[in-house]
mmCIF file of all heavy atoms in Angstrom:
data_model
loop_
_atom_site.group_PDB
_atom_site.id
_atom_site.type_symbol
_atom_site.label_atom_id
_atom_site.label_comp_id
_atom_site.label_asym_id
_atom_site.label_seq_id
_atom_site.Cartn_x
_atom_site.Cartn_y
_atom_site.Cartn_z
ATOM 1 N N ASN A 279 116.393 187.006 84.556
ATOM 2 C CA ASN A 279 115.252 187.907 84.405
ATOM 3 C C ASN A 279 113.940 187.204 84.738
ATOM 4 O O ASN A 279 113.053 187.795 85.343
ATOM 5 C CB ASN A 279 115.199 188.454 82.978
ATOM 6 C CG ASN A 279 116.289 189.472 82.746
ATOM 7 O OD1 ASN A 279 116.223 190.592 83.212
ATOM 8 N ND2 ASN A 279 117.341 189.052 82.057
ATOM 9 N N SER A 280 113.855 185.951 84.335
ATOM 10 C CA SER A 280 112.650 185.188 84.650
ATOM 11 C C SER A 280 112.606 184.881 86.139
ATOM 12 O O SER A 280 111.538 184.900 86.768
ATOM 13 C CB SER A 280 112.625 183.889 83.839
ATOM 14 O OG SER A 280 112.681 184.184 82.462
ATOM 15 N N GLU A 283 111.137 187.624 88.010
ATOM 16 C CA GLU A 283 109.677 187.598 87.971
ATOM 17 C C GLU A 283 109.141 186.628 89.014
ATOM 18 O O GLU A 283 108.145 186.891 89.680
ATOM 19 C CB GLU A 283 109.181 187.189 86.581
ATOM 20 C CG GLU A 283 109.184 188.305 85.553
ATOM 21 C CD GLU A 283 108.196 189.416 85.899
ATOM 22 O OE1 GLU A 283 106.987 189.263 85.644
ATOM 23 O OE2 GLU A 283 108.657 190.437 86.432
ATOM 24 N N ASP A 306 109.034 182.157 80.164
ATOM 25 C CA ASP A 306 108.447 182.190 81.502
ATOM 26 C C ASP A 306 106.989 182.625 81.445
ATOM 27 O O ASP A 306 106.537 183.139 80.431
ATOM 28 C CB ASP A 306 109.253 183.119 82.426
ATOM 29 C CG ASP A 306 109.147 184.593 82.031
ATOM 30 O OD1 ASP A 306 108.024 185.108 81.888
ATOM 31 O OD2 ASP A 306 110.211 185.239 81.874
ATOM 32 N N ARG A 309 104.905 188.467 83.971
ATOM 33 C CA ARG A 309 103.990 189.506 83.478
ATOM 34 C C ARG A 309 104.270 189.904 82.038
ATOM 35 O O ARG A 309 103.480 190.591 81.395
ATOM 36 C CB ARG A 309 104.110 190.754 84.374
ATOM 37 C CG ARG A 309 103.541 190.552 85.755
ATOM 38 C CD ARG A 309 103.999 191.617 86.704
ATOM 39 N NE ARG A 309 105.435 191.543 86.956
ATOM 40 C CZ ARG A 309 106.090 192.261 87.882
ATOM 41 N NH1 ARG A 309 105.427 193.121 88.624
ATOM 42 N NH2 ARG A 309 107.386 192.123 88.047
ATOM 43 N N GLY A 310 105.412 189.483 81.528
ATOM 44 C CA GLY A 310 105.793 189.882 80.172
ATOM 45 C C GLY A 310 106.532 191.206 80.208
ATOM 46 O O GLY A 310 106.157 192.110 80.963
ATOM 47 N N ILE A 311 107.579 191.336 79.412
ATOM 48 C CA ILE A 311 108.302 192.604 79.350
ATOM 49 C C ILE A 311 107.336 193.665 78.820
ATOM 50 O O ILE A 311 106.638 193.420 77.837
ATOM 51 C CB ILE A 311 109.528 192.503 78.409
ATOM 52 C CG1 ILE A 311 110.468 191.392 78.887
ATOM 53 C CG2 ILE A 311 110.252 193.840 78.312
ATOM 54 C CD1 ILE A 311 111.706 191.195 78.030
ATOM 55 N N PRO A 312 107.256 194.827 79.473
ATOM 56 C CA PRO A 312 106.345 195.873 78.988
ATOM 57 C C PRO A 312 106.661 196.249 77.534
ATOM 58 O O PRO A 312 107.821 196.241 77.135
ATOM 59 C CB PRO A 312 106.629 197.045 79.935
ATOM 60 C CG PRO A 312 107.188 196.414 81.168
ATOM 61 C CD PRO A 312 107.941 195.209 80.707
ATOM 62 N N GLY A 335 115.141 196.048 84.530
ATOM 63 C CA GLY A 335 113.778 196.250 85.031
ATOM 64 C C GLY A 335 113.632 197.595 85.697
ATOM 65 O O GLY A 335 112.768 197.797 86.522
ATOM 66 N N PHE A 337 112.485 200.284 84.931
ATOM 67 C CA PHE A 337 111.431 201.191 84.510
ATOM 68 C C PHE A 337 110.179 200.347 84.368
ATOM 69 O O PHE A 337 110.148 199.213 84.786
ATOM 70 C CB PHE A 337 111.781 201.829 83.172
ATOM 71 C CG PHE A 337 111.845 200.802 82.114
ATOM 72 C CD1 PHE A 337 110.726 200.474 81.374
ATOM 73 C CD2 PHE A 337 112.990 200.076 81.933
ATOM 74 C CE1 PHE A 337 110.772 199.453 80.458
ATOM 75 C CE2 PHE A 337 113.036 199.062 81.021
ATOM 76 C CZ PHE A 337 111.939 198.757 80.278
ATOM 77 N N GLY A 339 106.965 198.772 85.264
ATOM 78 C CA GLY A 339 106.241 198.532 86.498
ATOM 79 C C GLY A 339 106.961 199.108 87.709
ATOM 80 O O GLY A 339 106.354 199.312 88.738
ATOM 81 N N ARG A 369 101.051 189.710 76.608
ATOM 82 C CA ARG A 369 100.709 190.745 77.585
ATOM 83 C C ARG A 369 99.431 191.428 77.129
ATOM 84 O O ARG A 369 99.276 191.689 75.932
ATOM 85 C CB ARG A 369 101.861 191.759 77.638
ATOM 86 C CG ARG A 369 102.025 192.462 78.974
ATOM 87 C CD ARG A 369 103.250 193.360 78.951
ATOM 88 N NE ARG A 369 103.001 194.540 79.754
ATOM 89 C CZ ARG A 369 103.244 194.640 81.050
ATOM 90 N NH1 ARG A 369 103.794 193.638 81.690
ATOM 91 N NH2 ARG A 369 102.966 195.732 81.708
ATOM 92 N N THR A 400 107.058 185.839 78.777
ATOM 93 C CA THR A 400 108.116 186.279 77.866
ATOM 94 C C THR A 400 108.828 185.058 77.315
ATOM 95 O O THR A 400 109.126 184.123 78.071
ATOM 96 C CB THR A 400 109.140 187.147 78.627
ATOM 97 O OG1 THR A 400 108.442 188.215 79.267
ATOM 98 C CG2 THR A 400 110.192 187.712 77.692
HETATM 99 C C1 0RA B 1020 110.154 195.202 83.501
HETATM 100 C C2 0RA B 1020 108.978 195.417 84.232
HETATM 101 C C3 0RA B 1020 108.126 194.352 84.503
HETATM 102 C C4 0RA B 1020 108.463 193.079 84.064
HETATM 103 C C5 0RA B 1020 109.645 192.856 83.350
HETATM 104 C C6 0RA B 1020 110.480 193.934 83.089
HETATM 105 C C7 0RA B 1020 109.958 191.493 82.896
HETATM 106 C C8 0RA B 1020 111.178 191.224 82.273
HETATM 107 C C9 0RA B 1020 111.442 189.934 81.854
HETATM 108 C C10 0RA B 1020 112.507 189.321 81.230
HETATM 109 C C11 0RA B 1020 112.186 187.991 81.076
HETATM 110 N N1 0RA B 1020 110.982 187.768 81.592
HETATM 111 C C12 0RA B 1020 110.495 188.922 82.077
HETATM 112 N N2 0RA B 1020 109.342 189.175 82.684
HETATM 113 C C13 0RA B 1020 109.072 190.437 83.074
HETATM 114 C C14 0RA B 1020 106.886 194.550 85.294
HETATM 115 C C15 0RA B 1020 105.745 194.808 84.368
HETATM 116 C C16 0RA B 1020 104.403 194.941 85.088
HETATM 117 O O1 0RA B 1020 104.344 195.598 86.135
HETATM 118 O O2 0RA B 1020 103.424 194.413 84.554
#
Side-chain angles (χ1 to χ4, degrees):
N279 287 286
S280 302
E283 280 295 280
D306 68 53
R309 290 164 294 189
I311 302 180
F337 64 90
R369 208 176 146 89
T400 305

